[in-house]
């Protein structure tokens, strides 16, 4: 960095440009659908040129993965923090309550993610990258469950902590799919709590009513 701090200003400006492009892309993707948005539309929404876009992203796929990484990290942090608050003696019902209360359930994000999932399903290379991003959340959950394994019994049908993590993520996927259709965030949190309780404990929580 020069004595006048020029490099720092350039780095900060580029970071702001990247963040603005991500915010604009998220809004445009949510409104129009991933497959119906061009780089030009993202640039117009953000107020930047194509040059600014290409100085940060190679294309829309890379931009989406940056969006996905942000939210995957947020969700992993939410789950890890909710599970970690109980210490090594994991109180599963209490942890389930905390996870259901804080976990990201944003319908606009689910619209964007679902559009991209369809796109990835038709492109093996993109699908592999998306699977790796999804695996990050599972690893965060599995790590916490593994550390609690000696203190907390999980249902044998789930196998090891990795199997339990797969079940947790599958429950989240199911809840968010329904949320896309009915927009009921409060109901989604209730259903998520019930599903996780059934998965990770003896399932004494009453079954959900009126959801399918």
């Amino acid at each position: 960095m020069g004595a006048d701090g020029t490099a720092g200003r350039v780095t900060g400006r580029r970071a702001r440009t990247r963040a603005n492009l991500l915010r604009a892309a998220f809004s445009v993707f949510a409104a129009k659908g991933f497959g119906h948005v061009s780089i030009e539309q993202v640039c117009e929404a953000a107020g930047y040129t194509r040059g600014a876009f290409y100085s940060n992203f190679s294309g829309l796929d890379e931009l989406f993965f940056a969006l996905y990484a942000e939210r995957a990290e947020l969700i992993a942090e939410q789950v890890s923090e909710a599970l970690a608050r109980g210490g090594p003696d994991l109180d599963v019902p209490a942890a389930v309550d905390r996870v259901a209360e804080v976990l990201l359930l944003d319908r606009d994000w689910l619209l964007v993610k679902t559009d991209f999932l369809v796109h990835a399903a038709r492109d093996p290379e993109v699908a592999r990258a998306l699977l790796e991003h999804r695996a990050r959340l599972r690893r965060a959950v599995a790590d916490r469950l593994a550390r609690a394994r000696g203190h907390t019994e999980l249902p044998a049908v789930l196998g090891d902590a990795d199997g339990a993590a797969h079940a947790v993520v599958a429950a989240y996927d199911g809840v968010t799919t329904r949320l896309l259709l009915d927009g009921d965030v409060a109901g989604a949190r209730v259903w998520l709590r019930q599903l996780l309780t059934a998965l990770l404990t003896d399932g004494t929580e009453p079954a959900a009513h009126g959801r399918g």
Side-chain angles (χ1 to χ4, degrees):
M1 178 187 299
D4 62 355
T6 301
R9 289 198 298 272
V10 171
T11 301
R13 184 165 63 247
R14 180 167 183 173
R16 286 192 297 275
T17 298
R18 180 182 176 88
N20 290 337
L21 284 166
L22 287 170
R23 281 195 296 270
F26 178 81
S27 297
V28 177
F29 288 162
K32 298 179 179 295
F34 177 83
H36 302 284
V37 172
S38 67
I39 290 173
E40 288 78 9
Q41 288 172 310
V42 172
C43 292
E44 181 179 356
Y48 291 115
T49 64
R50 286 174 61 92
F53 180 95
Y54 283 115
S55 70
N56 287 276
F57 305 104
S58 62
L60 292 177
D61 282 1
E62 183 181 343
L63 184 151
F64 175 83
F65 280 128
L67 282 173
Y68 193 96
E70 284 184 347
R71 281 154 181 80
E73 185 67 25
L74 172 61
I75 292 170
E77 288 176 0
Q78 289 173 331
V79 172
S80 295
E81 182 178 345
L83 294 177
R85 281 171 53 190
D89 294 311
L90 183 64
D91 180 342
V92 174
V96 165
D97 283 344
R98 291 194 296 269
V99 169
E101 181 180 347
V102 304
L103 195 59
L104 178 68
L105 291 174
D106 178 73
R107 193 169 182 274
D108 281 348
W109 166 240
L110 297 176
L111 285 168
V112 174
K113 186 179 75 167
T114 302
D115 282 341
F116 194 78
L117 180 63
V118 174
H119 168 64
R122 294 188 172 94
D123 186 324
E125 184 176 350
V126 177
R128 282 192 295 272
L130 185 55
L131 284 170
E132 175 54 33
H133 279 280
R134 285 173 58 84
R136 294 180 62 192
L137 175 59
R138 290 200 307 274
R139 287 195 293 267
V141 175
D143 177 67
R144 180 62 186 104
L145 293 177
R147 285 186 282 120
R149 186 75 174 180
H151 306 268
T152 304
E153 287 299 320
L154 296 173
V157 69
L158 296 178
D160 57 12
D162 190 56
H166 273 81
V168 168
V169 174
Y172 177 69
D173 285 343
V175 168
T176 54
T177 297
R178 180 66 190 216
L179 176 59
L180 274 174
L181 300 177
D182 66 13
D184 183 3
V185 176
R189 294 198 185 280
V190 171
W191 192 32
L192 181 62
R193 182 179 293 106
Q194 292 169 335
L195 284 175
L196 293 181
T197 298
L199 282 170
L200 299 179
T201 70
D202 61 5
T204 56
E205 179 97 349
H209 295 289
R211 302 186 69 85

